[in-house]
Amino acid sequence: MKEFKILAVIVALVGITYYGIEPYAHHIMHPEVSPADFSFKDLKNVDTKLAGNAANGKVLVEANCIACHAIDKAGYPAVMPNADAAASYGVVPPDLSSAGRIYDKNYLANFIFDPVTAMHLSGKYTPESGKAFPMPSYNWMTPQEIMDIVAFLQSVSPKVEGKEAHKATFEAACGRCHNMKYAGIEATTPKDNLKAYTGAVAPDLSQYIKSRGEHYLHSFINDPQLLLHGTSMPRVGLTEEAQEEVIAYMEETGDSKKAERESLGIWVLLYTFIFAILAYLWKRKIWSEVH
Amino acid sequence: MAEFKKADSMLEWFDQRLGVVNFAKVMMTEYWIPKNINFLWAMGVLLTVLFTFLVVSGIFLLMYYKPDVNMAFDSVNYTIMQEVAYGWLFRHIHAVGASVVFLVIYIHMFTGIYYGSYKKGREMIWVSGMLLFMLFSAEGFSGYMLPWGQMSYWAAYVITEIFGGIPVIGDELVVWIRGNFYVSDSTLTRFFMLHVLLIPLAILGAIVFHFYALRFPHVNNEEGEFFDFDEEAEKYLAGNKKESKVVPFWPVFLSKDFFVLGFFMLFFFYLVFFHYDFAMDPVNFDKADGLKTPAHIYPEWYFLWSYEVLRGFFFEIAGVSGKDLGLMAFGFANAIFLVLPWLDRSPMVKPANQRPYFKYWFWFLMADLIVLTVYGKLPPTGANAWVGFASSMTFLVLFIALPFITKAEAKKVGGK
Ligand code: HEM
């Protein structure tokens, strides 16, 4: 029928245009990067097959880490207020209570061994730059000792689930740098300190689920350098599960009406469909008199 | 004062005072539309409905929106999208509606071009339609600034900058439009005024004018046939409904429009709920930052073809800079559709495919506009820049050639 032909022509023209300005243009402007690697294969300094001894780890942590880090859940409070910590280190060292849960084991061990390499920030902390990363490398420790620390951190991490976990993971992993205004979260590091420390403004992440989308975040958080080459945002080394919790939190905050939108959408479409059918029947009736 | 007898019914009461019975006849039941039309003739009613959607959703948004650079972004993305009950729904309807209205406008316009509905007495319909197109463009542009995201800011920056290319007064003009040397709070507030008051008022007026312009020449039909509407109307009123070439606007024409509207709404609401990124660019969910230029700046999709004509000229020709050439071409592109009725020198009112030469022109134009639109979005580097140049030139040449092509066609068909 003629009207279907016309419709087909319009659909084809609109379809070609749409393809050009949406999927195709997107593909050109945002080339695909290599897939996220949640086993952090590039880090190989510590043999993670060694079984760690948490009791020995506790001793090592007390001797080496708690001067800077709080581990609230294990009874080590912060040694100084955030403002002072930020002034001393540039950024507030994160509370390590959930470190054993949110960081990948291989990443965490290698991070302790050599933080700059693990975070993919070697480009920033070059010998020529004169900058020093605030946390020392523990490359003098034996792999066994490092795995003991990892075992200890894993043993103290509390089990959390659901929305509570989403928020907790975000705060532990991103909270020292990023605000989340729409959830009332302010970065623990004061803005000016952080700017001096990273050399860039860490943006408020309230709407980043919308502006960047899940697909981008999935690669970006796993390894920021792939998408923003030379950025000072560190690779944080989250497990896939923890990263999903962070993204879920970004969605709960930035797109809180998603569920409502999708369920209402179905009903509206159903209703409109009924309207369209009734309109068609009415049209048939009316036009049968004139044709 | 006229003598009023006591009314026997409410209808009569109103009829005595407002002449509603006659009014309904003139506007609806005895407003005659050709029978020989397809669903493309429903686009006008679709546009009317979409405009109503935009007005209603806009009024709801207006209750919470704050036209201030420090508050605008959060008032939209937090208050409206997340706090106010169903605020997100109104925003989605408004944003998707604004984008889809242009899709339908383009279909409507090219339907007019395809069937030659802009000539032989229908010139004022066309001109009033183009006036609506320009007003809608201004409405779309001013509205896009309001959420104060990165694209709002940078598109506003780039587009207002264009006026700087006008000789002599350019620089002052840019400052006058922005109300400041750069895009700032004063720019936002005045575009807010334009978007919610002045332009919608003008659109309402232009719609009335467009409808009025349809009255005397009547709408065209699928075959471009001319006939005596009074005669056909008489047949219809005498009961020869099947023989008559016309149908009344209500209920016959509108019953078909409602049916088209129903399926169109299905598409529209699918976009509103499930597929809205094309109308609400993700980049615009980053707050405006005058110090941070986005990697890619592009206008909304419906401006891409003319934006590409602007960008297409990127090198100097005969001592005139690429920028100036682009600006001239851009001015040409935006004005040329207005005078289309006078560029088409052929008297034929027929669907393009029945016109020996015009049909090539028409499909060439469609293809060129699609190429311009797609390349208007892509980064203008390497080969893309040359595609842009070639398609911009094609656009200019097509319109310069139109009078000659149609003159030749007139000769060939011998004034039919
Ligand atoms: C939102 C804006 C507009 C509205 C609400 C609108 C509405 C209408 C309506 C209700 C009709 C009669 C039914 C039909 O043929 O579809 C019509 C016809 C027409 N409109 Fe528009 N219109 C708009 C924009 C435009 C634009 C941008 C143009 C192009 C310049 C245009 C050109 C025409 C022409 C040429 C006709 C006559 C069609 C024919 O005779 O077959 N209109 N319009």
mmCIF file of all heavy atoms in Angstrom, chain B residues 40-45 47-48 51 101 105 108-109 112 117-118 122 125-126 129-130 132-133 136 207 210-211 214 218-221 253, ligand 1:
data_model
loop_
_atom_site.group_PDB
_atom_site.id
_atom_site.type_symbol
_atom_site.label_atom_id
_atom_site.label_comp_id
_atom_site.label_asym_id
_atom_site.label_seq_id
_atom_site.Cartn_x
_atom_site.Cartn_y
_atom_site.Cartn_z
ATOM 1 N N LEU B 40 0.807 11.998 5.630
ATOM 2 C CA LEU B 40 1.701 13.162 5.738
ATOM 3 C C LEU B 40 0.923 14.444 6.020
ATOM 4 O O LEU B 40 1.470 15.397 6.551
ATOM 5 C CB LEU B 40 2.507 13.315 4.448
ATOM 6 C CG LEU B 40 3.539 12.213 4.228
ATOM 7 C CD1 LEU B 40 4.138 12.306 2.839
ATOM 8 C CD2 LEU B 40 4.638 12.296 5.279
ATOM 9 N N TRP B 41 -0.353 14.427 5.690
ATOM 10 C CA TRP B 41 -1.172 15.607 5.977
ATOM 11 C C TRP B 41 -1.617 15.657 7.438
ATOM 12 O O TRP B 41 -2.338 16.545 7.842
ATOM 13 C CB TRP B 41 -2.374 15.645 5.035
ATOM 14 C CG TRP B 41 -2.050 16.360 3.758
ATOM 15 C CD1 TRP B 41 -2.294 17.686 3.505
ATOM 16 C CD2 TRP B 41 -1.424 15.833 2.586
ATOM 17 N NE1 TRP B 41 -1.838 18.009 2.244
ATOM 18 C CE2 TRP B 41 -1.293 16.886 1.654
ATOM 19 C CE3 TRP B 41 -0.935 14.574 2.230
ATOM 20 C CZ2 TRP B 41 -0.714 16.728 0.396
ATOM 21 C CZ3 TRP B 41 -0.364 14.414 0.980
ATOM 22 C CH2 TRP B 41 -0.254 15.482 0.072
ATOM 23 N N ALA B 42 -1.190 14.684 8.202
ATOM 24 C CA ALA B 42 -1.503 14.722 9.631
ATOM 25 C C ALA B 42 -0.409 15.441 10.412
ATOM 26 O O ALA B 42 -0.547 15.692 11.602
ATOM 27 C CB ALA B 42 -1.687 13.312 10.179
ATOM 28 N N MET B 43 0.688 15.754 9.745
ATOM 29 C CA MET B 43 1.824 16.336 10.462
ATOM 30 C C MET B 43 1.462 17.669 11.112
ATOM 31 O O MET B 43 1.948 18.000 12.189
ATOM 32 C CB MET B 43 3.021 16.521 9.527
ATOM 33 C CG MET B 43 3.567 15.218 8.989
ATOM 34 S SD MET B 43 4.016 14.074 10.302
ATOM 35 C CE MET B 43 3.286 12.574 9.695
ATOM 36 N N GLY B 44 0.649 18.461 10.444
ATOM 37 C CA GLY B 44 0.257 19.757 11.017
ATOM 38 C C GLY B 44 -0.441 19.582 12.351
ATOM 39 O O GLY B 44 -0.148 20.277 13.329
ATOM 40 N N VAL B 45 -1.355 18.607 12.411
ATOM 41 C CA VAL B 45 -2.064 18.377 13.670
ATOM 42 C C VAL B 45 -1.103 17.797 14.717
ATOM 43 O O VAL B 45 -1.150 18.158 15.894
ATOM 44 C CB VAL B 45 -3.291 17.469 13.437
ATOM 45 C CG1 VAL B 45 -3.847 16.946 14.749
ATOM 46 C CG2 VAL B 45 -4.364 18.256 12.688
ATOM 47 N N LEU B 47 1.964 18.537 14.958
ATOM 48 C CA LEU B 47 2.733 19.677 15.450
ATOM 49 C C LEU B 47 1.922 20.487 16.453
ATOM 50 O O LEU B 47 2.447 20.936 17.478
ATOM 51 C CB LEU B 47 3.162 20.577 14.279
ATOM 52 C CG LEU B 47 4.301 20.021 13.432
ATOM 53 C CD1 LEU B 47 4.477 20.834 12.162
ATOM 54 C CD2 LEU B 47 5.597 20.037 14.228
ATOM 55 N N THR B 48 0.651 20.642 16.180
ATOM 56 C CA THR B 48 -0.191 21.382 17.114
ATOM 57 C C THR B 48 -0.217 20.673 18.467
ATOM 58 O O THR B 48 -0.109 21.307 19.521
ATOM 59 C CB THR B 48 -1.618 21.509 16.548
ATOM 60 O OG1 THR B 48 -1.519 21.914 15.181
ATOM 61 C CG2 THR B 48 -2.441 22.514 17.319
ATOM 62 N N PHE B 51 3.155 20.990 20.210
ATOM 63 C CA PHE B 51 3.315 22.329 20.763
ATOM 64 C C PHE B 51 2.545 22.448 22.076
ATOM 65 O O PHE B 51 3.033 23.009 23.059
ATOM 66 C CB PHE B 51 2.853 23.391 19.750
ATOM 67 C CG PHE B 51 3.001 24.798 20.265
ATOM 68 C CD1 PHE B 51 4.259 25.334 20.506
ATOM 69 C CD2 PHE B 51 1.883 25.579 20.519
ATOM 70 C CE1 PHE B 51 4.400 26.626 20.997
ATOM 71 C CE2 PHE B 51 2.022 26.872 21.004
ATOM 72 C CZ PHE B 51 3.287 27.397 21.242
ATOM 73 N N VAL B 101 9.669 17.647 17.848
ATOM 74 C CA VAL B 101 8.902 18.647 17.107
ATOM 75 C C VAL B 101 9.678 19.043 15.841
ATOM 76 O O VAL B 101 9.093 19.254 14.782
ATOM 77 C CB VAL B 101 8.575 19.870 18.008
ATOM 78 C CG1 VAL B 101 9.614 20.955 17.927
ATOM 79 C CG2 VAL B 101 7.228 20.465 17.641
ATOM 80 N N ILE B 105 8.517 18.831 12.087
ATOM 81 C CA ILE B 105 8.573 20.043 11.258
ATOM 82 C C ILE B 105 9.292 19.744 9.951
ATOM 83 O O ILE B 105 8.833 20.129 8.876
ATOM 84 C CB ILE B 105 9.285 21.197 12.002
ATOM 85 C CG1 ILE B 105 8.365 21.789 13.064
ATOM 86 C CG2 ILE B 105 9.682 22.298 11.016
ATOM 87 C CD1 ILE B 105 8.964 22.969 13.818
ATOM 88 N N HIS B 108 7.093 17.723 7.755
ATOM 89 C CA HIS B 108 6.027 18.613 7.291
ATOM 90 C C HIS B 108 6.533 19.524 6.157
ATOM 91 O O HIS B 108 5.892 19.666 5.120
ATOM 92 C CB HIS B 108 5.594 19.435 8.501
ATOM 93 C CG HIS B 108 4.393 20.290 8.330
ATOM 94 N ND1 HIS B 108 3.152 19.802 8.030
ATOM 95 C CD2 HIS B 108 4.231 21.635 8.439
ATOM 96 C CE1 HIS B 108 2.277 20.802 7.978
ATOM 97 N NE2 HIS B 108 2.918 21.938 8.214
ATOM 98 N N MET B 109 7.715 20.096 6.359
ATOM 99 C CA MET B 109 8.298 21.002 5.359
ATOM 100 C C MET B 109 8.607 20.269 4.057
ATOM 101 O O MET B 109 8.287 20.750 2.973
ATOM 102 C CB MET B 109 9.635 21.546 5.876
ATOM 103 C CG MET B 109 9.577 22.890 6.506
ATOM 104 S SD MET B 109 11.210 23.329 7.157
ATOM 105 C CE MET B 109 12.017 23.975 5.691
ATOM 106 N N GLY B 112 5.663 19.453 2.113
ATOM 107 C CA GLY B 112 5.246 20.635 1.349
ATOM 108 C C GLY B 112 6.075 20.782 0.088
ATOM 109 O O GLY B 112 5.547 21.066 -0.994
ATOM 110 N N SER B 117 3.384 22.235 -2.388
ATOM 111 C CA SER B 117 2.293 22.919 -1.685
ATOM 112 C C SER B 117 2.642 24.351 -1.303
ATOM 113 O O SER B 117 2.027 24.905 -0.403
ATOM 114 C CB SER B 117 1.923 22.148 -0.416
ATOM 115 O OG SER B 117 1.758 20.792 -0.685
ATOM 116 N N TYR B 118 3.649 24.906 -1.951
ATOM 117 C CA TYR B 118 4.065 26.252 -1.565
ATOM 118 C C TYR B 118 3.807 27.258 -2.684
ATOM 119 O O TYR B 118 4.248 28.384 -2.619
ATOM 120 C CB TYR B 118 5.559 26.249 -1.214
ATOM 121 C CG TYR B 118 6.406 25.562 -2.261
ATOM 122 C CD1 TYR B 118 6.801 26.246 -3.402
ATOM 123 C CD2 TYR B 118 6.766 24.217 -2.131
ATOM 124 C CE1 TYR B 118 7.536 25.614 -4.391
ATOM 125 C CE2 TYR B 118 7.496 23.578 -3.108
ATOM 126 C CZ TYR B 118 7.882 24.281 -4.239
ATOM 127 O OH TYR B 118 8.592 23.653 -5.217
ATOM 128 N N ARG B 122 -0.451 29.222 -2.630
ATOM 129 C CA ARG B 122 -0.129 28.762 -1.275
ATOM 130 C C ARG B 122 1.154 29.394 -0.744
ATOM 131 O O ARG B 122 1.736 28.921 0.232
ATOM 132 C CB ARG B 122 -0.004 27.240 -1.240
ATOM 133 C CG ARG B 122 -1.310 26.545 -1.599
ATOM 134 C CD ARG B 122 -1.381 25.108 -1.133
ATOM 135 N NE ARG B 122 -2.695 24.571 -1.448
ATOM 136 C CZ ARG B 122 -3.006 23.971 -2.595
ATOM 137 N NH1 ARG B 122 -2.076 23.784 -3.518
ATOM 138 N NH2 ARG B 122 -4.224 23.544 -2.813
ATOM 139 N N ILE B 125 1.042 30.368 2.963
ATOM 140 C CA ILE B 125 1.097 29.221 3.889
ATOM 141 C C ILE B 125 2.572 28.897 4.125
ATOM 142 O O ILE B 125 3.025 28.714 5.262
ATOM 143 C CB ILE B 125 0.419 27.964 3.300
ATOM 144 C CG1 ILE B 125 -0.976 28.278 2.815
ATOM 145 C CG2 ILE B 125 0.414 26.849 4.323
ATOM 146 C CD1 ILE B 125 -1.664 27.058 2.178
ATOM 147 N N TRP B 126 3.313 28.864 3.035
ATOM 148 C CA TRP B 126 4.732 28.524 3.118
ATOM 149 C C TRP B 126 5.495 29.555 3.940
ATOM 150 O O TRP B 126 6.254 29.195 4.842
ATOM 151 C CB TRP B 126 5.326 28.416 1.708
ATOM 152 C CG TRP B 126 6.765 28.092 1.750
ATOM 153 C CD1 TRP B 126 7.794 28.974 1.620
ATOM 154 C CD2 TRP B 126 7.348 26.823 2.008
ATOM 155 N NE1 TRP B 126 8.984 28.327 1.759
ATOM 156 C CE2 TRP B 126 8.740 27.003 1.996
ATOM 157 C CE3 TRP B 126 6.828 25.545 2.241
ATOM 158 C CZ2 TRP B 126 9.628 25.949 2.213
ATOM 159 C CZ3 TRP B 126 7.719 24.506 2.457
ATOM 160 C CH2 TRP B 126 9.094 24.712 2.446
ATOM 161 N N GLY B 129 4.736 29.301 7.452
ATOM 162 C CA GLY B 129 5.382 28.085 7.974
ATOM 163 C C GLY B 129 6.843 28.327 8.261
ATOM 164 O O GLY B 129 7.357 27.933 9.319
ATOM 165 N N MET B 130 7.525 29.009 7.349
ATOM 166 C CA MET B 130 8.948 29.289 7.572
ATOM 167 C C MET B 130 9.143 30.214 8.769
ATOM 168 O O MET B 130 10.112 30.103 9.510
ATOM 169 C CB MET B 130 9.580 29.930 6.326
ATOM 170 C CG MET B 130 10.019 28.928 5.294
ATOM 171 S SD MET B 130 11.033 27.582 5.949
ATOM 172 C CE MET B 130 12.503 28.441 6.436
ATOM 173 N N LEU B 132 7.297 30.116 11.348
ATOM 174 C CA LEU B 132 7.212 29.210 12.490
ATOM 175 C C LEU B 132 8.520 28.453 12.673
ATOM 176 O O LEU B 132 8.983 28.262 13.795
ATOM 177 C CB LEU B 132 6.068 28.209 12.280
ATOM 178 C CG LEU B 132 4.699 28.708 12.686
ATOM 179 C CD1 LEU B 132 3.626 27.760 12.190
ATOM 180 C CD2 LEU B 132 4.622 28.835 14.201
ATOM 181 N N PHE B 133 9.105 28.040 11.570
ATOM 182 C CA PHE B 133 10.371 27.319 11.666
ATOM 183 C C PHE B 133 11.425 28.185 12.343
ATOM 184 O O PHE B 133 12.147 27.737 13.238
ATOM 185 C CB PHE B 133 10.844 26.899 10.274
ATOM 186 C CG PHE B 133 12.168 26.194 10.292
ATOM 187 C CD1 PHE B 133 12.263 24.904 10.758
ATOM 188 C CD2 PHE B 133 13.320 26.840 9.872
ATOM 189 C CE1 PHE B 133 13.491 24.250 10.794
ATOM 190 C CE2 PHE B 133 14.549 26.199 9.898
ATOM 191 C CZ PHE B 133 14.632 24.899 10.367
ATOM 192 N N PHE B 136 10.589 28.540 16.029
ATOM 193 C CA PHE B 136 10.896 27.309 16.748
ATOM 194 C C PHE B 136 12.401 27.150 16.934
ATOM 195 O O PHE B 136 12.855 26.676 17.974
ATOM 196 C CB PHE B 136 10.311 26.089 16.028
ATOM 197 C CG PHE B 136 8.966 25.700 16.555
ATOM 198 C CD1 PHE B 136 7.827 26.335 16.105
ATOM 199 C CD2 PHE B 136 8.834 24.724 17.529
ATOM 200 C CE1 PHE B 136 6.585 25.996 16.612
ATOM 201 C CE2 PHE B 136 7.597 24.379 18.040
ATOM 202 C CZ PHE B 136 6.465 25.012 17.582
ATOM 203 N N ILE B 207 1.104 30.619 14.596
ATOM 204 C CA ILE B 207 0.268 29.444 14.314
ATOM 205 C C ILE B 207 -1.098 29.897 13.802
ATOM 206 O O ILE B 207 -1.628 29.389 12.814
ATOM 207 C CB ILE B 207 0.138 28.540 15.561
ATOM 208 C CG1 ILE B 207 1.481 27.867 15.862
ATOM 209 C CG2 ILE B 207 -0.927 27.476 15.341
ATOM 210 C CD1 ILE B 207 1.467 26.955 17.074
ATOM 211 N N HIS B 210 -0.688 31.026 10.321
ATOM 212 C CA HIS B 210 -0.481 29.862 9.441
ATOM 213 C C HIS B 210 -1.831 29.210 9.112
ATOM 214 O O HIS B 210 -2.131 28.907 7.961
ATOM 215 C CB HIS B 210 0.431 28.881 10.169
ATOM 216 C CG HIS B 210 0.988 27.756 9.339
ATOM 217 N ND1 HIS B 210 1.712 27.946 8.200
ATOM 218 C CD2 HIS B 210 0.933 26.401 9.520
ATOM 219 C CE1 HIS B 210 2.090 26.768 7.704
ATOM 220 N NE2 HIS B 210 1.621 25.815 8.491
ATOM 221 N N PHE B 211 -2.665 29.033 10.124
ATOM 222 C CA PHE B 211 -3.977 28.422 9.906
ATOM 223 C C PHE B 211 -4.845 29.313 9.034
ATOM 224 O O PHE B 211 -5.584 28.835 8.170
ATOM 225 C CB PHE B 211 -4.684 28.156 11.251
ATOM 226 C CG PHE B 211 -4.082 27.017 12.028
ATOM 227 C CD1 PHE B 211 -2.952 26.355 11.555
ATOM 228 C CD2 PHE B 211 -4.638 26.601 13.228
ATOM 229 C CE1 PHE B 211 -2.393 25.302 12.265
ATOM 230 C CE2 PHE B 211 -4.088 25.551 13.946
ATOM 231 C CZ PHE B 211 -2.970 24.900 13.468
ATOM 232 N N LEU B 214 -4.099 29.086 5.457
ATOM 233 C CA LEU B 214 -4.565 27.853 4.828
ATOM 234 C C LEU B 214 -5.993 27.981 4.313
ATOM 235 O O LEU B 214 -6.445 27.212 3.466
ATOM 236 C CB LEU B 214 -4.558 26.715 5.854
ATOM 237 C CG LEU B 214 -3.236 26.030 6.149
ATOM 238 C CD1 LEU B 214 -3.320 25.309 7.486
ATOM 239 C CD2 LEU B 214 -2.924 25.033 5.043
ATOM 240 N N HIS B 218 -6.803 26.604 0.571
ATOM 241 C CA HIS B 218 -7.072 25.219 0.997
ATOM 242 C C HIS B 218 -5.809 24.363 0.921
ATOM 243 O O HIS B 218 -4.886 24.687 0.202
ATOM 244 C CB HIS B 218 -8.151 24.568 0.127
ATOM 245 C CG HIS B 218 -9.521 25.067 0.449
ATOM 246 N ND1 HIS B 218 -10.229 24.605 1.519
ATOM 247 C CD2 HIS B 218 -10.293 25.994 -0.143
ATOM 248 C CE1 HIS B 218 -11.396 25.230 1.559
ATOM 249 N NE2 HIS B 218 -11.444 26.085 0.566
ATOM 250 N N VAL B 219 -5.820 23.244 1.654
ATOM 251 C CA VAL B 219 -4.624 22.413 1.587
ATOM 252 C C VAL B 219 -4.577 21.684 0.254
ATOM 253 O O VAL B 219 -5.590 21.453 -0.402
ATOM 254 C CB VAL B 219 -4.498 21.377 2.734
ATOM 255 C CG1 VAL B 219 -4.304 22.049 4.056
ATOM 256 C CG2 VAL B 219 -5.643 20.432 2.755
ATOM 257 N N ASN B 220 -3.370 21.342 -0.096
ATOM 258 C CA ASN B 220 -3.085 20.620 -1.328
ATOM 259 C C ASN B 220 -3.521 19.156 -1.171
ATOM 260 O O ASN B 220 -4.031 18.762 -0.113
ATOM 261 C CB ASN B 220 -1.578 20.720 -1.556
ATOM 262 C CG ASN B 220 -1.165 20.366 -2.956
ATOM 263 O OD1 ASN B 220 -2.002 20.099 -3.806
ATOM 264 N ND2 ASN B 220 0.122 20.373 -3.188
ATOM 265 N N ASN B 221 -3.331 18.353 -2.203
ATOM 266 C CA ASN B 221 -3.638 16.930 -2.099
ATOM 267 C C ASN B 221 -2.582 16.119 -2.818
ATOM 268 O O ASN B 221 -1.692 16.669 -3.456
ATOM 269 C CB ASN B 221 -5.026 16.654 -2.657
ATOM 270 C CG ASN B 221 -5.151 17.184 -4.073
ATOM 271 O OD1 ASN B 221 -4.565 16.631 -4.984
ATOM 272 N ND2 ASN B 221 -5.860 18.291 -4.241
ATOM 273 N N PHE B 253 -11.566 14.382 8.732
ATOM 274 C CA PHE B 253 -10.118 14.586 8.647
ATOM 275 C C PHE B 253 -9.448 14.280 9.987
ATOM 276 O O PHE B 253 -8.456 13.562 10.064
ATOM 277 C CB PHE B 253 -9.836 16.028 8.214
ATOM 278 C CG PHE B 253 -8.387 16.391 8.149
ATOM 279 C CD1 PHE B 253 -7.557 15.854 7.170
ATOM 280 C CD2 PHE B 253 -7.830 17.275 9.069
ATOM 281 C CE1 PHE B 253 -6.219 16.193 7.107
ATOM 282 C CE2 PHE B 253 -6.487 17.615 9.015
ATOM 283 C CZ PHE B 253 -5.683 17.075 8.032
HETATM 284 C C1 HEM C 1 4.838 24.039 14.823
HETATM 285 C C2 HEM C 1 4.686 24.586 13.703
HETATM 286 C C3 HEM C 1 3.588 24.251 12.681
HETATM 287 C C4 HEM C 1 2.297 23.898 12.885
HETATM 288 C C5 HEM C 1 1.573 23.759 14.232
HETATM 289 C C6 HEM C 1 1.714 23.693 11.591
HETATM 290 C C7 HEM C 1 0.404 23.316 11.360
HETATM 291 C C8 HEM C 1 -0.138 23.051 10.128
HETATM 292 C C9 HEM C 1 -1.435 22.458 9.875
HETATM 293 C C10 HEM C 1 -2.428 22.029 10.983
HETATM 294 C C11 HEM C 1 -1.593 22.312 8.536
HETATM 295 C C12 HEM C 1 -2.777 21.676 7.783
HETATM 296 C C13 HEM C 1 -2.677 20.172 7.735
HETATM 297 C C14 HEM C 1 -1.445 19.654 7.041
HETATM 298 O O1 HEM C 1 -1.293 19.805 5.808
HETATM 299 O O2 HEM C 1 -0.594 19.102 7.746
HETATM 300 C C15 HEM C 1 -0.404 22.860 7.930
HETATM 301 C C16 HEM C 1 -0.183 22.909 6.544
HETATM 302 C C17 HEM C 1 0.984 23.409 5.956
HETATM 303 N N1 HEM C 1 2.111 23.838 6.611
HETATM 304 FE FE1 HEM C 1 2.362 23.920 8.577
HETATM 305 N N2 HEM C 1 2.655 23.918 10.633
HETATM 306 C C18 HEM C 1 3.818 24.271 11.264
HETATM 307 C C19 HEM C 1 5.020 24.557 10.665
HETATM 308 C C20 HEM C 1 5.247 24.644 9.307
HETATM 309 C C21 HEM C 1 6.525 24.860 8.679
HETATM 310 C C22 HEM C 1 7.854 25.032 9.415
HETATM 311 C C23 HEM C 1 6.318 24.850 7.331
HETATM 312 C C24 HEM C 1 7.365 25.013 6.252
HETATM 313 C C25 HEM C 1 7.858 26.110 5.919
HETATM 314 C C26 HEM C 1 4.912 24.654 7.115
HETATM 315 C C27 HEM C 1 4.309 24.617 5.880
HETATM 316 C C28 HEM C 1 3.035 24.182 5.642
HETATM 317 C C29 HEM C 1 2.477 24.000 4.335
HETATM 318 C C30 HEM C 1 3.166 24.262 2.991
HETATM 319 C C31 HEM C 1 1.170 23.513 4.532
HETATM 320 C C32 HEM C 1 0.168 23.155 3.466
HETATM 321 C C33 HEM C 1 0.247 21.703 3.161
HETATM 322 C C34 HEM C 1 -0.634 21.385 2.004
HETATM 323 O O3 HEM C 1 -1.247 22.279 1.469
HETATM 324 O O4 HEM C 1 -0.668 20.210 1.652
HETATM 325 N N3 HEM C 1 4.285 24.518 8.342
HETATM 326 N N4 HEM C 1 0.464 23.289 8.916
#
